[in-house]
Amino acid sequence: MAARSPYPVDANALRLAGELRKRRRYLVAKLGLPSLACYLAYLSLVTFGQSFLRIGVPGGLSVGWVLTAVMLLLPLVVCALFARGARRSLDRLRESEAGEASGR
Amino acid sequence: MSARTAALVLFTVLVVVSMTLTWLAGRRTRTAGDFWAAGGAISPARNAVATLGDFMSGSALLGVIGLMFLYGYDALFYLTIPLLAWIPVMLLIAERLRNLGQYTLTDVLVRRFRSRSLRSVLAISTLVISGIYLLAQMVVIGNLFALLSGIDYTVAIVLAGVIMVLYVAIGGMHGATVIQSVKAVLLLAVLAGMTVLLVIKFGGDIGGMVAKAVAPAGGTDPLQPGNLLKDPWNMLSVGLAATFGVAGLPHLMMRFFTVRDAVHARRSVTMTVAMITVASILIAFIGLGASALLRPETRELAASGGNLVTPRLAEVLGGGSGTFGGAVTLGIVSAIAFATVVAVVSGLLVNASSAVVRDLWNQFDRPGPPDREVARGRLTSVVIGAVVVVIAAVLGPRYNAAVLVTLAFGIAASANFPVLLFALTWRRFTTSGAVTGVLSGLGASVMLMILGPTLWPGADPPVNLADPTLIALPVGVLGCVIGTLLSRRSAREEFDEVQIESELGRATIANVTGERIAGESGTPNTAAN
């Protein structure tokens, strides 16, 4: 069974964790909410809007195939943007705090 | 050279080479941390390749292409939704999981509640999920090996069982990572190779191939949705399973613990998603190619649940039955598909063994020196491997692998996901809530799965929902909520502590507070238990 955590929850850690959480929430909201909207729209269309997906597009395919192609690429775009944002926003803060602490 | 000989020779070469690599990697296994999580020493790129290997099993290479051939558009659902599930994994889970965990998903959940009963029910849930997933892979192996060698389906899965147990017993997580990486590269190479052969076959006229592929045949219009999952509620259920199941799959989440820290976990996810996207697009293209070329053989190929469409397509692309080219391409694809499945099975076996040893056995009997836990891991792998082989032999070859894997996703979504989410986000959440949530989600999903059309032996199943998630996921969530509200409020400090540690990781906390973490040795979480 796990033992108690070996570190003290001190003011520095609390402050840094709070700031990181705030920044992460912003990033997650900025990328997650549009992704969620896309996901819900896709799931709704696939389950209850199949007549819309059957509409033909030039090239012999249908709206459904085009929509699926877009949804296949969406996770890659979102993850890449999140990774970039996290590098700029979260990692830099962690590094600067660690640098300050080693200076102390 | 016949197709069978070519395939068997190639398969033997693959097994010997990968077994050697596994043995070499396994020599680094000294401690339990090495055996279960490769000592946190895997680079993000290697981990991403191995995760692709874990994620894209035989069900993707054989099952989804088979479904695409048999049912057209609906099969795309099995590609897009699991891929979309990586968005919440990246945004909400990967880094926090790495910061909190040690070897398994259970470690993360128990990190907050420190409860033996929770550890035990999570171990049971992990065993059930890994067991269904293992069964799906064994069905593919049995079909493939019977096709290649002409031997009986049962003998084929026994042989595959021996090979998978050897991989894990020799190499542990180091070994599983090596063969997953090799297999993932081979998988991508096969997909790319078949795509090129398809383009050559149609003289570069991709539009012509697509037009031929989507031409309605035998009363089924492959262009349109609704051929496989006719009921929209079924489709919604599969969608929910695939979306929330990924984050609840213990063998996938375990991959985050094999990298050094949360930043590496994030990098690993980005690379994994990129590779899965490429593989998914290639699989969809090959599925269309199969529809264009193999339509006259629909009845024969449907008899194996569509699992043999990919090898048959490879044979046609190589020149057809009876030609040397056809034999070689069939041999290559079958051997790699076989190796793919064995590799996935190895990862699953590490995970299932870890649940038994770390979460059940070690609770009742302390392992003592680290090498004793490794020995227990090896013994448990053998036992679980034997049990799965027996069940797969009893079930027989008629199931589509992708459909079975989706059932495993459904159980993971219903039993594990709600608890993981609440443990990370809900302050009021209690141990009783977590235990009730896992048990109710697990019980509901297994019950509905057994009574549903996929596993029910008769023609008229009591439940008509192909996947249990639509009902079982809300049951799991309700179990968490009701169990929590009816129990005593847990200490607020523990939630705060988990929040801080999930955000910072123990290494960062040590830097910021100037504290030295006991047992810290490059892998930030090795001292949590």
Side-chain angles (χ1 to χ4, degrees), chain A residues 42 46 52-57 59-72, chain B residues 68-69 71-76 79-80 210 213-215 221-225 227 281 283-285 287-289 291:
Chain A
Y42 175 67
V46 168
F52 177 73
L53 298 179
R54 290 194 177 101
I55 297 169
V57 295
L61 293 177
S62 62
V63 171
W65 289 80
V66 176
L67 194 62
T68 301
V70 173
M71 296 313 283
L72 276 174
Chain B
M68 187 96 182
F69 168 75
Y71 302 105
Y73 178 84
D74 284 355
L76 294 173
L79 290 174
T80 46
V210 172
V214 301
D221 183 352
L223 185 68
Q224 309 298 359
N227 295 319
I281 291 168
I283 285 172
F285 186 80
L288 284 174
S291 301

mmCIF file of all heavy atoms in Angstrom, chain A residues 42 46 52-57 59-72, chain B residues 68-69 71-76 79-80 210 213-215 221-225 227 281 283-285 287-289 291:
data_model
loop_
_atom_site.group_PDB
_atom_site.id
_atom_site.type_symbol
_atom_site.label_atom_id
_atom_site.label_comp_id
_atom_site.label_asym_id
_atom_site.label_seq_id
_atom_site.Cartn_x
_atom_site.Cartn_y
_atom_site.Cartn_z
ATOM 1 N N TYR A 42 -19.956 15.655 -34.972
ATOM 2 C CA TYR A 42 -19.665 14.461 -35.776
ATOM 3 C C TYR A 42 -20.465 13.256 -35.276
ATOM 4 O O TYR A 42 -21.119 12.558 -36.068
ATOM 5 C CB TYR A 42 -18.163 14.178 -35.719
ATOM 6 C CG TYR A 42 -17.743 12.905 -36.416
ATOM 7 C CD1 TYR A 42 -17.847 12.774 -37.803
ATOM 8 C CD2 TYR A 42 -17.246 11.827 -35.700
ATOM 9 C CE1 TYR A 42 -17.465 11.612 -38.443
ATOM 10 C CE2 TYR A 42 -16.867 10.657 -36.335
ATOM 11 C CZ TYR A 42 -16.978 10.553 -37.704
ATOM 12 O OH TYR A 42 -16.600 9.389 -38.333
ATOM 13 N N VAL A 46 -23.307 11.241 -37.338
ATOM 14 C CA VAL A 46 -23.126 9.831 -37.672
ATOM 15 C C VAL A 46 -24.261 8.986 -37.108
ATOM 16 O O VAL A 46 -24.715 8.030 -37.741
ATOM 17 C CB VAL A 46 -21.755 9.333 -37.144
ATOM 18 C CG1 VAL A 46 -21.670 7.821 -37.210
ATOM 19 C CG2 VAL A 46 -20.630 9.933 -37.957
ATOM 20 N N PHE A 52 -27.986 13.406 -43.956
ATOM 21 C CA PHE A 52 -27.087 14.506 -44.338
ATOM 22 C C PHE A 52 -25.756 13.931 -44.838
ATOM 23 O O PHE A 52 -25.187 14.425 -45.816
ATOM 24 C CB PHE A 52 -26.846 15.422 -43.133
ATOM 25 C CG PHE A 52 -25.877 16.540 -43.403
ATOM 26 C CD1 PHE A 52 -26.246 17.624 -44.186
ATOM 27 C CD2 PHE A 52 -24.581 16.495 -42.902
ATOM 28 C CE1 PHE A 52 -25.347 18.648 -44.453
ATOM 29 C CE2 PHE A 52 -23.677 17.515 -43.162
ATOM 30 C CZ PHE A 52 -24.066 18.589 -43.931
ATOM 31 N N LEU A 53 -25.282 12.883 -44.164
ATOM 32 C CA LEU A 53 -24.000 12.302 -44.561
ATOM 33 C C LEU A 53 -24.068 11.646 -45.934
ATOM 34 O O LEU A 53 -23.058 11.440 -46.590
ATOM 35 C CB LEU A 53 -23.554 11.255 -43.523
ATOM 36 C CG LEU A 53 -23.301 11.749 -42.106
ATOM 37 C CD1 LEU A 53 -22.893 10.607 -41.199
ATOM 38 C CD2 LEU A 53 -22.209 12.817 -42.091
ATOM 39 N N ARG A 54 -25.268 11.300 -46.377
ATOM 40 C CA ARG A 54 -25.421 10.608 -47.667
ATOM 41 C C ARG A 54 -25.365 11.565 -48.866
ATOM 42 O O ARG A 54 -25.283 11.114 -50.004
ATOM 43 C CB ARG A 54 -26.753 9.853 -47.699
ATOM 44 C CG ARG A 54 -26.779 8.651 -46.784
ATOM 45 C CD ARG A 54 -27.968 7.741 -47.093
ATOM 46 N NE ARG A 54 -27.898 6.561 -46.236
ATOM 47 C CZ ARG A 54 -28.621 6.386 -45.136
ATOM 48 N NH1 ARG A 54 -29.483 7.323 -44.775
ATOM 49 N NH2 ARG A 54 -28.501 5.298 -44.421
ATOM 50 N N ILE A 55 -25.444 12.858 -48.623
ATOM 51 C CA ILE A 55 -25.433 13.818 -49.735
ATOM 52 C C ILE A 55 -24.117 13.681 -50.506
ATOM 53 O O ILE A 55 -23.042 13.646 -49.916
ATOM 54 C CB ILE A 55 -25.578 15.264 -49.204
ATOM 55 C CG1 ILE A 55 -26.930 15.422 -48.516
ATOM 56 C CG2 ILE A 55 -25.430 16.278 -50.323
ATOM 57 C CD1 ILE A 55 -27.065 16.717 -47.736
ATOM 58 N N GLY A 56 -24.224 13.582 -51.808
ATOM 59 C CA GLY A 56 -23.041 13.354 -52.643
ATOM 60 C C GLY A 56 -22.196 14.603 -52.832
ATOM 61 O O GLY A 56 -22.695 15.725 -52.762
ATOM 62 N N VAL A 57 -20.897 14.385 -53.018
ATOM 63 C CA VAL A 57 -19.996 15.494 -53.353
ATOM 64 C C VAL A 57 -19.263 15.119 -54.637
ATOM 65 O O VAL A 57 -19.196 13.939 -54.991
ATOM 66 C CB VAL A 57 -18.969 15.766 -52.218
ATOM 67 C CG1 VAL A 57 -19.637 16.246 -50.965
ATOM 68 C CG2 VAL A 57 -18.119 14.536 -51.941
ATOM 69 N N GLY A 59 -16.690 13.784 -57.179
ATOM 70 C CA GLY A 59 -15.654 12.769 -56.994
ATOM 71 C C GLY A 59 -16.240 11.424 -56.606
ATOM 72 O O GLY A 59 -15.513 10.451 -56.450
ATOM 73 N N GLY A 60 -17.551 11.366 -56.453
ATOM 74 C CA GLY A 60 -18.189 10.076 -56.199
ATOM 75 C C GLY A 60 -18.382 9.744 -54.733
ATOM 76 O O GLY A 60 -19.004 8.745 -54.410
ATOM 77 N N LEU A 61 -17.810 10.535 -53.848
ATOM 78 C CA LEU A 61 -17.970 10.248 -52.421
ATOM 79 C C LEU A 61 -19.138 11.051 -51.856
ATOM 80 O O LEU A 61 -19.880 11.685 -52.596
ATOM 81 C CB LEU A 61 -16.679 10.556 -51.674
ATOM 82 C CG LEU A 61 -15.497 9.630 -52.011
ATOM 83 C CD1 LEU A 61 -14.257 10.076 -51.276
ATOM 84 C CD2 LEU A 61 -15.817 8.196 -51.649
ATOM 85 N N SER A 62 -19.280 11.019 -50.531
ATOM 86 C CA SER A 62 -20.399 11.740 -49.910
ATOM 87 C C SER A 62 -19.869 12.671 -48.822
ATOM 88 O O SER A 62 -18.679 12.631 -48.480
ATOM 89 C CB SER A 62 -21.381 10.741 -49.296
ATOM 90 O OG SER A 62 -20.717 10.028 -48.286
ATOM 91 N N VAL A 63 -20.770 13.472 -48.263
ATOM 92 C CA VAL A 63 -20.393 14.396 -47.185
ATOM 93 C C VAL A 63 -19.756 13.616 -46.033
ATOM 94 O O VAL A 63 -18.782 14.059 -45.420
ATOM 95 C CB VAL A 63 -21.636 15.163 -46.684
ATOM 96 C CG1 VAL A 63 -21.323 15.956 -45.426
ATOM 97 C CG2 VAL A 63 -22.152 16.093 -47.770
ATOM 98 N N GLY A 64 -20.287 12.431 -45.754
ATOM 99 C CA GLY A 64 -19.782 11.614 -44.658
ATOM 100 C C GLY A 64 -18.294 11.322 -44.788
ATOM 101 O O GLY A 64 -17.547 11.394 -43.810
ATOM 102 N N TRP A 65 -17.861 10.986 -45.996
ATOM 103 C CA TRP A 65 -16.446 10.661 -46.210
ATOM 104 C C TRP A 65 -15.569 11.898 -46.006
ATOM 105 O O TRP A 65 -14.487 11.813 -45.432
ATOM 106 C CB TRP A 65 -16.237 10.094 -47.622
ATOM 107 C CG TRP A 65 -16.802 8.717 -47.775
ATOM 108 C CD1 TRP A 65 -18.123 8.404 -47.984
ATOM 109 C CD2 TRP A 65 -16.104 7.475 -47.685
ATOM 110 N NE1 TRP A 65 -18.283 7.044 -48.038
ATOM 111 C CE2 TRP A 65 -17.061 6.447 -47.872
ATOM 112 C CE3 TRP A 65 -14.778 7.129 -47.481
ATOM 113 C CZ2 TRP A 65 -16.712 5.092 -47.843
ATOM 114 C CZ3 TRP A 65 -14.434 5.782 -47.475
ATOM 115 C CH2 TRP A 65 -15.389 4.780 -47.650
ATOM 116 N N VAL A 66 -16.058 13.034 -46.496
ATOM 117 C CA VAL A 66 -15.277 14.272 -46.346
ATOM 118 C C VAL A 66 -15.165 14.639 -44.863
ATOM 119 O O VAL A 66 -14.085 14.973 -44.353
ATOM 120 C CB VAL A 66 -15.947 15.422 -47.135
ATOM 121 C CG1 VAL A 66 -15.206 16.728 -46.919
ATOM 122 C CG2 VAL A 66 -16.003 15.080 -48.615
ATOM 123 N N LEU A 67 -16.296 14.528 -44.179
ATOM 124 C CA LEU A 67 -16.321 14.850 -42.747
ATOM 125 C C LEU A 67 -15.377 13.919 -41.973
ATOM 126 O O LEU A 67 -14.632 14.345 -41.082
ATOM 127 C CB LEU A 67 -17.755 14.690 -42.232
ATOM 128 C CG LEU A 67 -18.059 15.277 -40.866
ATOM 129 C CD1 LEU A 67 -17.845 16.769 -40.869
ATOM 130 C CD2 LEU A 67 -19.500 14.962 -40.468
ATOM 131 N N THR A 68 -15.392 12.646 -42.342
ATOM 132 C CA THR A 68 -14.511 11.680 -41.680
ATOM 133 C C THR A 68 -13.041 12.040 -41.901
ATOM 134 O O THR A 68 -12.214 11.929 -40.983
ATOM 135 C CB THR A 68 -14.808 10.262 -42.206
ATOM 136 O OG1 THR A 68 -16.165 9.968 -41.939
ATOM 137 C CG2 THR A 68 -13.929 9.232 -41.524
ATOM 138 N N ALA A 69 -12.729 12.458 -43.125
ATOM 139 C CA ALA A 69 -11.335 12.848 -43.421
ATOM 140 C C ALA A 69 -10.909 14.007 -42.522
ATOM 141 O O ALA A 69 -9.794 14.021 -41.972
ATOM 142 C CB ALA A 69 -11.211 13.235 -44.895
ATOM 143 N N VAL A 70 -11.821 14.973 -42.341
ATOM 144 C CA VAL A 70 -11.512 16.121 -41.475
ATOM 145 C C VAL A 70 -11.318 15.651 -40.035
ATOM 146 O O VAL A 70 -10.369 16.058 -39.350
ATOM 147 C CB VAL A 70 -12.652 17.169 -41.552
ATOM 148 C CG1 VAL A 70 -12.437 18.279 -40.539
ATOM 149 C CG2 VAL A 70 -12.739 17.750 -42.956
ATOM 150 N N MET A 71 -12.185 14.759 -39.583
ATOM 151 C CA MET A 71 -12.096 14.289 -38.200
ATOM 152 C C MET A 71 -10.837 13.459 -37.963
ATOM 153 O O MET A 71 -10.312 13.404 -36.859
ATOM 154 C CB MET A 71 -13.333 13.460 -37.826
ATOM 155 C CG MET A 71 -14.635 14.226 -37.841
ATOM 156 S SD MET A 71 -14.576 15.802 -36.999
ATOM 157 C CE MET A 71 -14.647 15.285 -35.310
ATOM 158 N N LEU A 72 -10.356 12.790 -39.018
ATOM 159 C CA LEU A 72 -9.105 12.027 -38.882
ATOM 160 C C LEU A 72 -7.920 12.955 -38.630
ATOM 161 O O LEU A 72 -6.968 12.592 -37.959
ATOM 162 C CB LEU A 72 -8.845 11.192 -40.139
ATOM 163 C CG LEU A 72 -9.528 9.829 -40.232
ATOM 164 C CD1 LEU A 72 -9.281 9.198 -41.595
ATOM 165 C CD2 LEU A 72 -9.039 8.882 -39.146
ATOM 166 N N MET B 68 -14.273 -2.675 -43.317
ATOM 167 C CA MET B 68 -14.391 -1.696 -44.419
ATOM 168 C C MET B 68 -14.823 -2.420 -45.693
ATOM 169 O O MET B 68 -15.672 -1.923 -46.444
ATOM 170 C CB MET B 68 -13.007 -1.059 -44.599
ATOM 171 C CG MET B 68 -12.961 0.072 -45.545
ATOM 172 S SD MET B 68 -13.095 1.589 -44.646
ATOM 173 C CE MET B 68 -13.083 2.706 -46.027
ATOM 174 N N PHE B 69 -14.248 -3.577 -45.920
ATOM 175 C CA PHE B 69 -14.594 -4.374 -47.096
ATOM 176 C C PHE B 69 -16.047 -4.858 -47.012
ATOM 177 O O PHE B 69 -16.793 -4.781 -47.985
ATOM 178 C CB PHE B 69 -13.636 -5.567 -47.196
ATOM 179 C CG PHE B 69 -14.058 -6.606 -48.182
ATOM 180 C CD1 PHE B 69 -13.926 -6.382 -49.551
ATOM 181 C CD2 PHE B 69 -14.603 -7.813 -47.760
ATOM 182 C CE1 PHE B 69 -14.324 -7.350 -50.465
ATOM 183 C CE2 PHE B 69 -15.002 -8.775 -48.667
ATOM 184 C CZ PHE B 69 -14.866 -8.545 -50.024
ATOM 185 N N TYR B 71 -18.595 -3.756 -44.888
ATOM 186 C CA TYR B 71 -19.685 -2.810 -44.577
ATOM 187 C C TYR B 71 -19.447 -1.389 -45.064
ATOM 188 O O TYR B 71 -20.299 -0.524 -44.883
ATOM 189 C CB TYR B 71 -19.920 -2.778 -43.061
ATOM 190 C CG TYR B 71 -20.251 -4.127 -42.488
ATOM 191 C CD1 TYR B 71 -19.306 -4.838 -41.757
ATOM 192 C CD2 TYR B 71 -21.496 -4.711 -42.694
ATOM 193 C CE1 TYR B 71 -19.598 -6.092 -41.239
ATOM 194 C CE2 TYR B 71 -21.799 -5.959 -42.178
ATOM 195 C CZ TYR B 71 -20.844 -6.644 -41.450
ATOM 196 O OH TYR B 71 -21.128 -7.880 -40.946
ATOM 197 N N GLY B 72 -18.272 -1.093 -45.618
ATOM 198 C CA GLY B 72 -18.019 0.237 -46.171
ATOM 199 C C GLY B 72 -17.868 1.320 -45.116
ATOM 200 O O GLY B 72 -17.147 1.150 -44.124
ATOM 201 N N TYR B 73 -18.609 2.394 -45.286
ATOM 202 C CA TYR B 73 -18.419 3.624 -44.514
ATOM 203 C C TYR B 73 -18.395 3.407 -43.000
ATOM 204 O O TYR B 73 -17.595 4.024 -42.299
ATOM 205 C CB TYR B 73 -19.544 4.617 -44.874
ATOM 206 C CG TYR B 73 -19.476 5.898 -44.096
ATOM 207 C CD1 TYR B 73 -18.651 6.935 -44.512
ATOM 208 C CD2 TYR B 73 -20.220 6.073 -42.927
ATOM 209 C CE1 TYR B 73 -18.572 8.101 -43.786
ATOM 210 C CE2 TYR B 73 -20.145 7.248 -42.201
ATOM 211 C CZ TYR B 73 -19.322 8.251 -42.642
ATOM 212 O OH TYR B 73 -19.226 9.409 -41.920
ATOM 213 N N ASP B 74 -19.247 2.539 -42.486
ATOM 214 C CA ASP B 74 -19.357 2.368 -41.028
ATOM 215 C C ASP B 74 -18.025 2.002 -40.367
ATOM 216 O O ASP B 74 -17.786 2.315 -39.204
ATOM 217 C CB ASP B 74 -20.392 1.292 -40.688
ATOM 218 C CG ASP B 74 -21.817 1.805 -40.860
ATOM 219 O OD1 ASP B 74 -21.953 3.013 -41.148
ATOM 220 O OD2 ASP B 74 -22.756 1.021 -40.715
ATOM 221 N N ALA B 75 -17.158 1.317 -41.123
ATOM 222 C CA ALA B 75 -15.879 0.897 -40.552
ATOM 223 C C ALA B 75 -15.001 2.098 -40.192
ATOM 224 O O ALA B 75 -14.159 2.012 -39.292
ATOM 225 C CB ALA B 75 -15.141 -0.002 -41.533
ATOM 226 N N LEU B 76 -15.220 3.210 -40.904
ATOM 227 C CA LEU B 76 -14.422 4.414 -40.622
ATOM 228 C C LEU B 76 -14.634 4.899 -39.191
ATOM 229 O O LEU B 76 -13.770 5.524 -38.589
ATOM 230 C CB LEU B 76 -14.776 5.545 -41.599
ATOM 231 C CG LEU B 76 -14.411 5.296 -43.054
ATOM 232 C CD1 LEU B 76 -14.964 6.412 -43.928
ATOM 233 C CD2 LEU B 76 -12.909 5.198 -43.232
ATOM 234 N N LEU B 79 -12.126 3.889 -36.884
ATOM 235 C CA LEU B 79 -10.830 4.574 -36.999
ATOM 236 C C LEU B 79 -10.886 5.968 -36.393
ATOM 237 O O LEU B 79 -9.989 6.377 -35.652
ATOM 238 C CB LEU B 79 -10.423 4.701 -38.472
ATOM 239 C CG LEU B 79 -10.026 3.428 -39.213
ATOM 240 C CD1 LEU B 79 -9.793 3.730 -40.679
ATOM 241 C CD2 LEU B 79 -8.778 2.802 -38.603
ATOM 242 N N THR B 80 -11.959 6.707 -36.714
ATOM 243 C CA THR B 80 -11.993 8.120 -36.310
ATOM 244 C C THR B 80 -12.222 8.301 -34.807
ATOM 245 O O THR B 80 -11.534 9.097 -34.174
ATOM 246 C CB THR B 80 -13.106 8.890 -37.054
ATOM 247 O OG1 THR B 80 -14.277 8.121 -37.021
ATOM 248 C CG2 THR B 80 -12.729 9.190 -38.465
ATOM 249 N N VAL B 210 -11.730 4.266 -56.233
ATOM 250 C CA VAL B 210 -12.767 4.643 -55.261
ATOM 251 C C VAL B 210 -14.156 4.402 -55.850
ATOM 252 O O VAL B 210 -15.043 3.842 -55.184
ATOM 253 C CB VAL B 210 -12.592 6.114 -54.828
ATOM 254 C CG1 VAL B 210 -13.767 6.572 -53.976
ATOM 255 C CG2 VAL B 210 -11.295 6.291 -54.066
ATOM 256 N N ALA B 213 -14.832 0.850 -55.717
ATOM 257 C CA ALA B 213 -14.976 0.389 -54.334
ATOM 258 C C ALA B 213 -16.350 0.706 -53.767
ATOM 259 O O ALA B 213 -16.919 -0.096 -53.018
ATOM 260 C CB ALA B 213 -13.905 1.026 -53.456
ATOM 261 N N VAL B 214 -16.865 1.869 -54.093
ATOM 262 C CA VAL B 214 -18.121 2.290 -53.473
ATOM 263 C C VAL B 214 -19.349 1.935 -54.300
ATOM 264 O O VAL B 214 -20.457 2.310 -53.952
ATOM 265 C CB VAL B 214 -18.118 3.810 -53.156
ATOM 266 C CG1 VAL B 214 -16.988 4.157 -52.217
ATOM 267 C CG2 VAL B 214 -18.031 4.624 -54.436
ATOM 268 N N ALA B 215 -19.122 1.201 -55.424
ATOM 269 C CA ALA B 215 -20.275 0.778 -56.222
ATOM 270 C C ALA B 215 -21.125 -0.165 -55.382
ATOM 271 O O ALA B 215 -20.605 -1.135 -54.826
ATOM 272 C CB ALA B 215 -19.791 0.077 -57.478
ATOM 273 N N ASP B 221 -24.885 -0.712 -49.923
ATOM 274 C CA ASP B 221 -24.221 0.447 -50.523
ATOM 275 C C ASP B 221 -23.087 0.878 -49.594
ATOM 276 O O ASP B 221 -23.327 1.494 -48.561
ATOM 277 C CB ASP B 221 -25.234 1.587 -50.700
ATOM 278 C CG ASP B 221 -24.598 2.788 -51.397
ATOM 279 O OD1 ASP B 221 -23.358 2.756 -51.589
ATOM 280 O OD2 ASP B 221 -25.323 3.726 -51.741
ATOM 281 N N PRO B 222 -21.827 0.524 -49.936
ATOM 282 C CA PRO B 222 -20.712 0.796 -49.019
ATOM 283 C C PRO B 222 -20.434 2.283 -48.817
ATOM 284 O O PRO B 222 -19.736 2.644 -47.874
ATOM 285 C CB PRO B 222 -19.520 0.102 -49.672
ATOM 286 C CG PRO B 222 -19.928 -0.200 -51.049
ATOM 287 C CD PRO B 222 -21.398 -0.116 -51.171
ATOM 288 N N LEU B 223 -20.992 3.111 -49.697
ATOM 289 C CA LEU B 223 -20.778 4.554 -49.557
ATOM 290 C C LEU B 223 -21.568 5.122 -48.374
ATOM 291 O O LEU B 223 -21.184 6.124 -47.781
ATOM 292 C CB LEU B 223 -21.228 5.235 -50.847
ATOM 293 C CG LEU B 223 -21.001 6.740 -50.980
ATOM 294 C CD1 LEU B 223 -19.520 7.029 -51.072
ATOM 295 C CD2 LEU B 223 -21.726 7.277 -52.199
ATOM 296 N N GLN B 224 -22.642 4.459 -48.044
ATOM 297 C CA GLN B 224 -23.587 5.027 -47.073
ATOM 298 C C GLN B 224 -23.408 4.456 -45.670
ATOM 299 O O GLN B 224 -23.034 3.293 -45.520
ATOM 300 C CB GLN B 224 -25.026 4.767 -47.527
ATOM 301 C CG GLN B 224 -25.316 5.182 -48.952
ATOM 302 C CD GLN B 224 -25.144 6.673 -49.196
ATOM 303 O OE1 GLN B 224 -24.824 7.421 -48.275
ATOM 304 N NE2 GLN B 224 -25.324 7.110 -50.423
ATOM 305 N N PRO B 225 -23.706 5.257 -44.660
ATOM 306 C CA PRO B 225 -23.665 4.726 -43.296
ATOM 307 C C PRO B 225 -24.863 3.806 -43.028
ATOM 308 O O PRO B 225 -25.838 3.831 -43.759
ATOM 309 C CB PRO B 225 -23.743 5.992 -42.431
ATOM 310 C CG PRO B 225 -24.367 7.023 -43.297
ATOM 311 C CD PRO B 225 -24.033 6.691 -44.710
ATOM 312 N N ASN B 227 -24.713 0.299 -42.609
ATOM 313 C CA ASN B 227 -24.642 -1.106 -43.028
ATOM 314 C C ASN B 227 -24.262 -2.033 -41.879
ATOM 315 O O ASN B 227 -24.715 -3.157 -41.804
ATOM 316 C CB ASN B 227 -23.613 -1.275 -44.157
ATOM 317 C CG ASN B 227 -24.028 -0.535 -45.412
ATOM 318 O OD1 ASN B 227 -25.201 -0.550 -45.777
ATOM 319 N ND2 ASN B 227 -23.092 0.141 -46.051
ATOM 320 N N ILE B 281 -5.286 6.637 -42.130
ATOM 321 C CA ILE B 281 -5.570 7.029 -43.518
ATOM 322 C C ILE B 281 -5.189 5.883 -44.470
ATOM 323 O O ILE B 281 -5.927 5.548 -45.402
ATOM 324 C CB ILE B 281 -4.821 8.333 -43.868
ATOM 325 C CG1 ILE B 281 -5.448 9.503 -43.082
ATOM 326 C CG2 ILE B 281 -4.868 8.617 -45.363
ATOM 327 C CD1 ILE B 281 -4.652 10.785 -43.099
ATOM 328 N N ILE B 283 -5.056 2.701 -43.727
ATOM 329 C CA ILE B 283 -6.004 1.585 -43.536
ATOM 330 C C ILE B 283 -7.303 1.846 -44.305
ATOM 331 O O ILE B 283 -7.835 0.954 -44.971
ATOM 332 C CB ILE B 283 -6.295 1.388 -42.027
ATOM 333 C CG1 ILE B 283 -5.096 0.712 -41.360
ATOM 334 C CG2 ILE B 283 -7.550 0.558 -41.799
ATOM 335 C CD1 ILE B 283 -5.183 0.649 -39.841
ATOM 336 N N ALA B 284 -7.800 3.089 -44.238
ATOM 337 C CA ALA B 284 -9.032 3.432 -44.961
ATOM 338 C C ALA B 284 -8.828 3.247 -46.463
ATOM 339 O O ALA B 284 -9.687 2.698 -47.170
ATOM 340 C CB ALA B 284 -9.441 4.868 -44.642
ATOM 341 N N PHE B 285 -7.661 3.669 -46.954
ATOM 342 C CA PHE B 285 -7.366 3.551 -48.389
ATOM 343 C C PHE B 285 -7.309 2.079 -48.803
ATOM 344 O O PHE B 285 -7.871 1.676 -49.826
ATOM 345 C CB PHE B 285 -6.028 4.246 -48.682
ATOM 346 C CG PHE B 285 -5.698 4.322 -50.146
ATOM 347 C CD1 PHE B 285 -6.271 5.287 -50.954
ATOM 348 C CD2 PHE B 285 -4.826 3.414 -50.721
ATOM 349 C CE1 PHE B 285 -5.969 5.356 -52.308
ATOM 350 C CE2 PHE B 285 -4.518 3.470 -52.068
ATOM 351 C CZ PHE B 285 -5.091 4.440 -52.869
ATOM 352 N N GLY B 287 -8.715 -0.422 -47.275
ATOM 353 C CA GLY B 287 -10.072 -0.964 -47.189
ATOM 354 C C GLY B 287 -10.854 -0.689 -48.464
ATOM 355 O O GLY B 287 -11.562 -1.562 -48.983
ATOM 356 N N LEU B 288 -10.710 0.518 -49.010
ATOM 357 C CA LEU B 288 -11.370 0.856 -50.277
ATOM 358 C C LEU B 288 -10.813 -0.013 -51.402
ATOM 359 O O LEU B 288 -11.553 -0.491 -52.264
ATOM 360 C CB LEU B 288 -11.147 2.336 -50.604
ATOM 361 C CG LEU B 288 -11.979 3.342 -49.815
ATOM 362 C CD1 LEU B 288 -11.547 4.765 -50.132
ATOM 363 C CD2 LEU B 288 -13.457 3.173 -50.143
ATOM 364 N N GLY B 289 -9.484 -0.196 -51.386
ATOM 365 C CA GLY B 289 -8.847 -1.038 -52.414
ATOM 366 C C GLY B 289 -9.374 -2.458 -52.356
ATOM 367 O O GLY B 289 -9.657 -3.074 -53.395
ATOM 368 N N SER B 291 -12.274 -3.372 -51.267
ATOM 369 C CA SER B 291 -13.650 -3.361 -51.787
ATOM 370 C C SER B 291 -13.649 -3.348 -53.312
ATOM 371 O O SER B 291 -14.505 -3.965 -53.949
ATOM 372 C CB SER B 291 -14.399 -2.124 -51.279
ATOM 373 O OG SER B 291 -14.427 -2.136 -49.891
#
